[in-house]
Amino acid sequence: MQNSEALSLSSALLAAAGELTRHINDGVVARGFEGRPVYGFAFARLAPDGATATDLAAHLGVTKQAASQLVDELVRKGYVERRPHPEDARARLVVLTGRGRECARAAEEAAAEAVRAWGELLGEREVRALGRHLLRIAPNGPVRPSW
């Protein structure tokens, strides 16, 4: 593959990821939740069992202070709560609330809408193949913003 082809492919993948992120966030907002894309990236780490702010910082690629500020924001909005950590008395576990899980389900619905649109454009078989290929390229994530 030529450099120009690789750059074109890279640009297309980044554009698709950006469009998908925008579509999901718009869908979450349309379903009555206040959100920013970073919420979804945080929820991906917090579900299903919670995480510490330190874990969240590592997942998002931000400082512990930035992760703590995000957790404070998510607590104020009712999406997460802090609980005692079951294994570390010094740490607090951040877990999704019922409202946080509802918001995550809204994001799943919005993601499904976006992928259905890809199926209409490419055909379901091609979209499934795309999914398999992408999972081979990046099997373990993490799902995080590229700040």
Side-chain angles (χ1 to χ4, degrees):
M1 180 175 275
Q2 298 294 321
N3 286 352
S4 60
E5 292 173 305
L7 181 59
S8 180
L9 175 59
S10 299
S11 295
L13 283 169
L14 291 169
E19 265 305 298
L20 181 60
T21 300
R22 184 197 57 74
H23 185 94
I24 292 170
N25 192 69
D26 289 351
V28 166
V29 171
R31 287 166 173 82
F33 295 94
E34 185 180 349
R36 299 187 300 138
V38 71
Y39 294 1
F41 293 109
F43 288 6
R45 177 61 184 92
L46 298 175
D49 300 320
T52 65
T54 301
D55 296 333
L56 187 58
H59 173 77
L60 295 174
V62 299
T63 64
K64 292 178 195 174
Q65 292 81 5
S68 291
Q69 290 174 349
L70 176 61
V71 169
D72 289 343
E73 183 177 337
L74 293 172
V75 167
R76 279 193 309 274
K77 294 185 184 303
Y79 293 132
V80 303
E81 63 185 10
R82 290 181 176 95
R83 294 184 183 163
H85 196 289
E87 299 168 6
D88 184 350
R90 299 167 295 152
R92 303 284 287 167
L93 196 61
V94 180
V95 297
L96 293 175
T97 62
R99 179 165 172 73
R101 287 187 298 277
E102 290 170 9
C103 184
R105 279 191 292 279
E108 288 175 26
E109 292 169 5
E113 287 174 357
V115 171
R116 275 194 295 277
W118 294 353
E120 292 170 8
L121 180 65
L122 302 174
E124 190 169 326
R125 183 176 178 191
E126 290 293 322
V127 172
R128 287 182 191 277
L130 175 62
R132 286 192 304 274
H133 293 311
L134 291 173
L135 286 172
R136 286 178 58 205
I137 292 168
N140 299 316
V143 178
R144 73 194 299 181
S146 55
W147 305 103

